[in-house]
Amino acid sequence: MRSLTFVIGTGRSGSTALSRILNTHPDVLSLNEYMASVGDAAFPEGRLSGAEFWEALFRPTPYFAGMLRSGVLMPEFLYTRRPGRYAAGTTGIPALSLMVLPHLTDDPDALLDELRAAVVDWPDRTAPRHHEALFALLGERFGRTVAVERSGYSTGWAPGLRAAFPYARFVHLHRDGPDCALSMSRHPGYRVITLMREIAERTGVEHLADLTAEQVRSLPPDLAPLLGERFDAALVRDRDLPLRRFADLWSELVGDGVRFLDGLPAGQGMSLAYEDLLDAPREELTRLAAFVGVEPVPSWLDSACAHLDGSRRGSARRQLTAAELADVREGCAAGTRALARSGSGSGSGSESESATGRG
């Protein structure tokens, strides 16, 4: 692979559309939700064999497996739209199969078999080197020369990715705070995230894996079942979750993204506002192409606009009451200030900014 880029951000910010756009570029290997799928489990310390690395890619992602068993489906779950040989209730859906491989091919089962045949015999090496080899294998398979990974809710992974791939470039994708918070509040994945954050706050643990049986028993009946193998989807769907929680989450994630980007060496960071992408798609995609290391192919730019939907822009202003809008704006204020201080707000994406790592 000639270059590796990670698109980080809050999610619900046009990131799925961006993955679709990148996937249509003839030179880009678009790794859709790769980090969300394999997670920290695929980055153990030390060296591991090809077979051990494959197991980390194959075993179902616990967080998503629980949602699938409970009937809480996200639109990002591509495999469930055209089911193959794997099923959530029996075999479990392999981590790579749920969102990564269906983005690349109409036959994810065959591609999974093809990858397994190669990966299990790989020599021992560290996890980052295994991931690089996998990206190179997929790049060769699809004739792509650069890799761009994009996962929603991904700012927390950025420092670890920087340590694992110190040469990698990072794009911080962000969207208007109130619009993004409103979108989060209606998305099953972010509703689960918010409920899990509430569990952590109530019990005082940093990681849910550290919860004791006594702490679980102390939780109210509308939260404790979420920690089981299967739960009632209504606990996620029908729970009244204040919009302010999602605004606060947006501010936290945006602040993390801005601080991370500001700490990168020159030329390794770029900021991209979803609103700028809507307003000037050709200019912004040309800037993005240059950053990741590919040409802004005219036919690609022509087709990219079809993947952008500006109809939800301004949704918070249109759909919330004045009081609700004021409250969500207050929750988003810290993140908005962070973007403004870094020069990363909508309308600020210039080539000179991206070159400084603060674009």
Side-chain angles (χ1 to χ4, degrees):
M1 276 290 153
R2 205 168 64 221
S3 72
L4 173 61
T5 301
F6 293 95
V7 179
I8 61 169
T10 63
R12 311 311 299 160
S13 54
S15 52
T16 299
L18 185 60
S19 277
R20 294 194 192 105
I21 289 169
L22 289 167
N23 198 37
T24 63
H25 193 288
D27 296 322
V28 175
L29 174 68
S30 176
L31 297 167
N32 175 61
E33 303 283 5
Y34 182 82
M35 279 305 302
S37 299
V38 305
D40 295 334
F43 285 83
E45 295 290 333
R47 298 169 70 85
L48 63 161
S49 68
E52 290 169 329
F53 178 63
W54 179 254
E55 179 59 27
L57 303 177
F58 182 79
R59 60 175 173 254
T61 310
Y63 171 75
F64 295 135
M67 292 177 65
L68 285 163
R69 285 191 299 268
S70 305
V72 179
L73 302 183
M74 302 197 313
E76 292 84 355
F77 293 164
L78 300 180
Y79 190 88
T80 59
R81 298 183 190 178
R82 300 173 66 179
R85 79 169 74 115
Y86 300 100
T90 53
T91 59
I93 299 174
L96 276 186
S97 298
L98 187 58
M99 297 181 285
V100 181
L101 300 187
H103 180 68
L104 298 172
T105 175
D106 290 333
D107 192 353
D109 287 349
L111 181 55
L112 188 74
D113 292 343
E114 186 180 330
L115 294 175
R116 186 209 310 260
V119 173
V120 294
D121 291 328
W122 280 353
D124 292 5
R125 51 190 159 193
T126 63
R129 304 297 80 79
H130 273 300
H131 289 285
E132 289 170 341
L134 180 67
F135 301 161
L137 178 62
L138 285 168
E140 183 177 357
R141 168 69 169 73
F142 289 99
R144 310 300 174 97
T145 57
V146 306
V148 181
E149 193 280 339
R150 194 283 313 168
S151 292
Y153 193 63
S154 52
T155 55
W157 281 309
L161 292 172
R162 169 83 179 127
F165 310 102
Y167 58 87
R169 303 169 187 177
F170 291 85
V171 177
H172 181 211
L173 177 64
H174 50 89
R175 178 188 181 189
D176 173 76
D179 284 355
C180 191
L182 182 61
S183 181
M184 286 177 173
S185 73
R186 296 168 175 174
H187 187 277
Y190 284 85
R191 292 179 69 81
V192 172
I193 287 169
T194 300
L195 292 168
M196 293 300 179
R197 284 165 62 93
E198 182 178 344
I199 289 173
E201 290 166 5
R202 284 175 176 266
T203 57
V205 299
E206 185 174 354
H207 304 290
L208 294 182
D210 298 332
L211 281 170
T212 66
E214 182 178 354
Q215 287 173 320
V216 173
R217 285 193 297 270
S218 73
L219 293 169
D222 57 349
L223 286 178
L226 298 173
L227 299 169
E229 287 288 309
R230 190 187 302 269
F231 54 84
D232 183 352
L235 295 175
V236 174
R237 184 185 62 241
D238 299 339
R239 178 79 177 267
D240 182 19
L241 294 174
L243 185 56
R244 179 60 180 266
R245 292 190 193 178
F246 299 94
D248 292 339
L249 176 61
W250 179 87
S251 273
E252 178 185 326
L253 297 176
V254 164
D256 289 344
V258 167
R259 284 188 293 273
F260 174 77
L261 213 66
D262 284 351
L264 289 175
Q268 283 189 251
M270 168 182 163
S271 181
L272 177 61
Y274 177 58
E275 289 73 24
D276 288 347
L277 195 56
L278 293 177
D279 289 342
R282 290 178 176 274
E283 291 83 349
E284 290 299 282
L285 290 173
T286 295
R287 187 168 69 97
L288 178 63
F291 182 76
V292 305
V294 295
E295 291 296 320
V297 181
S299 60
W300 172 66
L301 293 174
D302 290 341
S303 66
C305 296
H307 293 281
L308 294 170
D309 176 14
S311 65
R312 289 174 291 181
R313 184 176 185 174
S315 55
R317 186 179 63 254
R318 292 193 305 270
Q319 298 173 29
L320 300 179
T321 67
E324 289 170 334
L325 184 59
D327 187 48
V328 75
R329 281 177 172 164
E330 184 178 338
C332 292
T336 302
R337 287 194 297 269
L339 288 171
R341 284 196 301 270
S342 69
S344 299
S346 177
S348 67
S350 69
E351 289 298 339
S352 61
E353 287 170 333
S354 65
T356 66
R358 296 187 60 172

